[in-house]
């Protein structure tokens, strides 16, 4: 309860200034952008307000058009954010099923700061989808080469496959 109260009251900022531009870029191309969090759905209004304060409007690409709260098996979906109360993979699959969104034949990108969550997505969707999973580690910046990260972001935004770090170190 204390953690929820702190999360609901503490303002936050984006860890990447480009995040809002990346979200907007994909939304303008018709891509569904869904935030998946392990935060409590009880703070959904403050999460939505914080996203809006930081220039990210996930309602533009929401799976459901209205402001309704969608109760799912092990999750709650509200204004473009999925509050996973079980593992993120099964929560997302539940949302896509409930929204009647055909994910088979689609390429889905998963970006998460925890490898275990990426493994959850892979386990939940198995071979049903084409997926690309990226472990986001910028918050651990001592492990990230900014030049390589910039090249990988360029590839990502261009629709090119992102390679392992070592591939960007080799002379072209």
């Amino acid at each position: 309860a204390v953690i929820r109260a702190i999360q609901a009251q503490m303002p936050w900022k984006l860890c990447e200034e480009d995040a809002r531009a990346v979200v907007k870029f994909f939304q303008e191309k018709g891509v569904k952008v869904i935030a998946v969090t392990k935060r409590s759905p009880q703070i959904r209004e403050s999460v939505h307000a914080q996203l809006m304060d930081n220039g990210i409007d996930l309602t533009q690409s929401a799976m459901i058009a209205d402001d309704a709260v969608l109760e799912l098996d092990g999750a709650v979906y509200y204004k473009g954010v999925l509050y996973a109360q079980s593992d993120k993979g099964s929560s997302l699959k539940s949302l896509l099923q409930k929204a009647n969104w055909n994910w088979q034949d689609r390429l889905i990108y998963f970006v998460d700061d925890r490898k275990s969550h990426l493994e959850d997505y892979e386990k939940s969707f198995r071979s049903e989808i084409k997926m690309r999973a990226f472990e986001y580690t910028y918050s651990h910046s001592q492990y990230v080469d900014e030049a390589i990260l910039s090249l990988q972001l360029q590839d990502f935004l261009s629709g090119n496959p992102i390679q392992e770090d070592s591939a960007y170190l080799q002379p072209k």
Side-chain angles (χ1 to χ4, degrees):
V2 173
I3 297 295
R4 271 196 307 267
I6 292 170
Q7 287 179 333
Q9 298 301 315
M10 292 298 296
W12 51 270
K13 64 178 188 164
L14 300 175
C15 55
E16 289 281 351
E17 282 301 314
D18 292 340
R20 71 180 61 82
V22 170
V23 169
K24 190 171 183 70
F25 171 85
F26 285 109
Q27 287 176 325
E28 287 173 352
K29 299 224 178 275
V31 173
K32 294 285 185 194
V33 178
I34 303 168
V36 184
T37 182
K38 296 290 275 183
R39 289 182 178 200
S40 169
Q42 294 176 346
I43 63 168
R44 62 184 174 262
E45 288 296 344
S46 65
V47 169
H48 176 71
Q50 289 173 0
L51 285 167
M52 296 298 286
D53 289 347
N54 281 278
I56 296 179
D57 183 1
L58 295 177
T59 62
Q60 294 179 17
S61 58
M63 296 300 290
I64 54 174
D66 58 21
D67 288 347
V69 175
L70 185 58
E71 301 279 343
L72 303 161
D73 187 27
V76 172
Y77 180 75
Y78 181 67
K79 293 186 177 182
V81 180
L82 179 61
Y83 298 87
Q85 302 308 289
S86 60
D87 74 83
K88 287 183 173 184
S90 59
S91 295
L92 180 61
K93 191 170 186 177
S94 178
L95 169 65
L96 298 180
Q97 288 171 332
K98 185 78 168 184
N100 293 316
W101 195 72
N102 180 12
W103 66 85
Q104 288 88 359
D105 303 328
R106 306 265 182 138
L107 176 60
I108 300 179
Y109 288 89
F110 298 99
V111 181
D112 206 297
D113 63 346
R114 295 199 181 168
K115 187 174 184 178
S116 63
H117 295 314
L118 296 172
E119 291 167 349
D120 289 343
Y121 293 123
E122 188 173 23
K123 184 174 68 175
S124 293
F125 288 95
R126 293 197 168 53
S127 60
E128 297 174 41
I129 63 167
K130 293 176 259 176
M131 70 178 275
R132 296 245 177 13
F134 302 96
E135 184 179 4
Y136 176 79
T137 57
Y138 189 79
S139 59
H140 315 291
S141 60
Q142 67 268 25
Y143 305 113
V144 175
D145 182 319
E146 294 283 334
I148 292 173
L149 183 63
S150 177
L151 293 170
Q152 289 171 326
L153 180 60
Q154 287 174 10
D155 277 348
F156 182 74
L157 294 175
S158 300
N160 299 324
I162 297 175
Q163 302 173 45
E164 294 292 325
D165 289 2
S166 60
Y168 294 95
L169 297 174
Q170 299 170 1
K172 299 200 177 196

